[in-house]
Amino acid sequence: MNNVSIEGISSQPKDSLDEFGLISKFFVHYPKATKSWRSQGVGDDCAFLEIGSTRIAVTADMMSIGTHFLENADPFYVGRKVLAVNLSDLAAAGAEPEAFFLSIALPKVDEKWLARFSSGLKQISEEFDCPLRGGDTTKAASVEGRPGKTVFSVCALGSLPSGKGLTRKGAQVDDDIWVTGSPGDAFAALGAEWGYWNLTPNQKKYFASRMNDPTPRIHLGRDLLDVATSCCDISDGLAGDLKHILARSMVSAELFYSDFPRSLYMKELDERVQRRCILNGGDDYELIFTAPPGSRNLVIEIGKKNNCPVTRIGKIVSKEIPFSVKDRLGSPINCGESFNHFS
Ligand code: ADP
Ligand code: MG
């Protein structure tokens, strides 16, 4: 398998801590075991808080205009997406959304912008029955005469049946690796915005809809609770998020790249662009999960029931550490670099 990075996109050699390096160096604390609210700790899409026999899934995601959204993004879809990405983490845990909190920093009061943002946010909150229960509002200070950035921080909470919940840990040798939807579509839109490739008007319309309005796989995630052995949502890119499962489960994988799902519009793009988008494109908010081979029919049924395509893209092959990703013939797959703040 060839290197999937293409000119202008592959990441530079790292001379400082990347996103995950800095989290594990500075933000993985080991609390005393005296607290009654136990948790599995940092490293999954959601933290599970055990409160007596009740288990609550909690996630927090921060986004900003300029980093996660184009400066001219439609505020209606910004509103939908700030909650969608958190719902997607609840989906990856198999949790039922129960409530969310919104903190927002604004450079100025733009009522027209806020009205559209708020109606998008309200729409998705009603769609997934996840009410807003609080938050904080502050002014984003200007920096050297330039207006501050609009920043959103959402914390979402979900409920789980006692003792249940999907994490990135738990993939077993021989498990199948599955993915929902058609990953890569969101980055096909972003890459075109950045000038890396051109799209036809129809391609642009389709890919932009996947980038601006991702579908949290809440119902499917819940149906996977007793089926999947591990699960993660794809926010940074399929390869990078699969690596989180492999690292946390301490296993290696073999991928069947030719079997990867591709949308009709993705198939129209140059093969190198397809690989870049499918393996490393972020922002899809699809689920990647593992399940025993005996559950194949069940997984397909769950996909059908939820009107969500599910595709088997590989398998877990060994307990090798460090893990590797290989193709069907056993050759290593160079997965390139998935999205990483600070790399
Ligand atoms: P996700 O993309 O699902 O939000 P990430 O892969 O970005 O999760 O984060 C990996 C893990 O690190 C998650 O468990 C997340 O909660 C945790 N994490 C990220 N930033 C911090 C932080 N500043 N402090 C504590 N934990 C963090
Ligand atoms: Mg996630």
Side-chain angles (χ1 to χ4, degrees):
M1 188 71 59
N2 295 328
N3 191 326
V4 295
S5 34
I6 60 178
E7 294 73 20
I9 302 184
S10 58
S11 65
Q12 301 302 310
K14 299 175 184 75
D15 55 6
S16 63
L17 284 174
D18 70 0
E19 177 185 352
F20 301 105
L22 84 80
I23 293 170
S24 55
K25 183 163 181 184
F26 297 111
F27 299 122
V28 178
H29 298 174
Y30 296 94
K32 289 185 213 133
T34 52
K35 288 282 150 195
S36 61
W37 291 19
R38 298 286 169 81
S39 175
Q40 86 276 36
V42 169
D44 292 306
D45 292 278
C46 288
F48 298 156
L49 300 182
E50 319 282 351
I51 308 168
S53 60
T54 303
R55 178 176 266 199
I56 297 177
V58 186
T59 181
D61 267 310
M62 185 152 77
M63 304 183 99
S64 65
I65 304 281
T67 303
H68 301 85
F69 296 100
L70 302 172
E71 299 284 349
N72 60 356
D74 180 342
F76 182 85
Y77 291 102
V78 175
R80 284 187 59 89
K81 194 165 171 180
V82 294
L83 181 54
V85 304
N86 284 270
L87 292 173
S88 176
D89 279 333
L90 293 180
E96 165 76 22
E98 297 289 352
F100 77 102
F101 292 76
L102 168 73
S103 297
I104 184 165
L106 297 164
K108 62 176 192 302
V109 179
D110 176 343
E111 284 207 35
K112 211 169 140 210
W113 190 97
L114 282 165
R116 248 188 105 60
F117 171 81
S118 142
S119 68
L121 183 70
K122 184 160 179 279
Q123 187 191 63
I124 191 167
S125 138
E126 286 172 357
E127 210 171 300
F128 288 92
D129 201 10
C130 184
L132 177 58
R133 296 293 195 199
D136 197 18
T137 303
T138 181
K139 181 168 180 173
S142 56
V143 180
E144 291 168 1
R146 278 175 289 125
K149 293 280 180 198
T150 304
V151 180
F152 321 90
S153 174
V154 168
C155 173
L157 296 97
S159 54
L160 282 165
S162 182
K164 292 195 181 178
L166 303 174
T167 66
R168 297 172 179 178
K169 195 173 172 176
Q172 305 290 323
V173 173
D174 288 336
D175 277 356
D176 295 318
I177 303 172
W178 296 85
V179 76
T180 62
S182 48
D185 288 346
F187 192 75
L190 188 60
E193 286 289 341
W194 287 348
Y196 291 147
W197 45 76
N198 294 316
L199 299 175
T200 64
N202 282 344
Q203 290 167 345
K204 193 171 170 178
K205 194 169 163 207
Y206 169 75
F207 290 133
S209 74
R210 299 313 298 145
M211 175 175 77
N212 296 330
D213 198 16
T215 313
R217 302 296 187 184
I218 285 290
H219 307 294
L220 185 126
R222 277 211 318 267
D223 286 346
L224 289 176
L225 263 184
D226 291 319
V227 182
T229 49
S230 70
C231 188
C232 182
D233 73 329
I234 302 179
S235 52
D236 298 332
L238 188 152
D241 288 309
L242 171 62
K243 282 183 192 170
H244 290 316
I245 288 183
L246 301 182
R248 215 149 149 73
S249 302
M250 297 200 288
V251 289
S252 297
E254 200 173 279
L255 292 179
F256 314 144
Y257 179 69
S258 52
D259 297 352
F260 276 34
R262 289 152 207 245
S263 63
L264 290 177
Y265 286 114
M266 180 62 73
K267 286 182 192 163
E268 295 175 1
L269 304 184
D270 179 273
E271 173 54 28
R272 280 193 321 162
V273 174
Q274 289 190 33
R275 280 194 194 181
R276 169 67 182 89
C277 293
I278 293 172
L279 285 172
N280 306 121
D283 248 12
D284 291 304
Y285 301 99
E286 295 295 350
L287 297 183
I288 184 162
F289 60 95
T290 55
S295 302
R296 278 181 198 167
N297 289 339
L298 188 52
V299 171
I300 291 164
E301 263 173 46
I302 289 173
K304 279 193 190 137
K305 179 187 156 207
N306 290 289
N307 202 16
C308 171
V310 284
T311 312
R312 195 154 52 86
I313 57 163
K315 63 178 188 176
I316 302 295
V317 286
S318 68
K319 284 201 164 293
E320 252 170 52
I321 306 167
F323 61 84
S324 62
V325 182
K326 295 177 183 162
D327 67 15
R328 262 187 208 279
L329 301 173
S331 316
I333 293 179
N334 183 339
C335 288
E337 294 290 331
S338 286
F339 185 79
N340 187 317
H341 291 280
F342 307 110
S343 88

